[in-house]
Amino acid sequence: MENAEQQDYFRRGFEPAATQIIIVDARDAGRLGVTRQPGHIYLGVLEILPELQGRGLGTAIVRDLQAEAKGAGLPLRLQVLKTNPAAQRLYERLGFQLTGATPATT
């Protein structure tokens, strides 16, 4: 069930124009989706291939976005699925705070 919910979440929020392929050592390593709004920068998706996780790629990307947002005087916003505790830990470690939650749908 969790996988289907996650796939539906990403399908609804997928914006091809705001999506970039992350390339590491000349191979596709994941995808990044960022939109820049007048009042904030929104990190819509950050996915790293499982075999490349834990190497600091996600941390480096988020820190770059945090620096961009700070330089622009804007907040950096994102959403994390409740079913993704690894991502929750990453964002908490990088200083993000929970500001709201949506109910889980079944």
Side-chain angles (χ1 to χ4, degrees), residues 4-5 36 47 55 60 85 100:
E5 181 181 339
R36 288 154 179 90
E47 294 178 325
R55 299 180 183 190

Side-chain angles (χ1 to χ4, degrees), residues 4 12 14 27 29 45 48 50 57 70 75 83 87 90 93 101 105:
R12 285 183 283 121
F14 180 64
R27 70 178 269 232
V45 64
I48 306 292
L57 297 172
K70 183 176 181 180
T83 58
L90 169 67
R93 183 172 50 82
T105 58

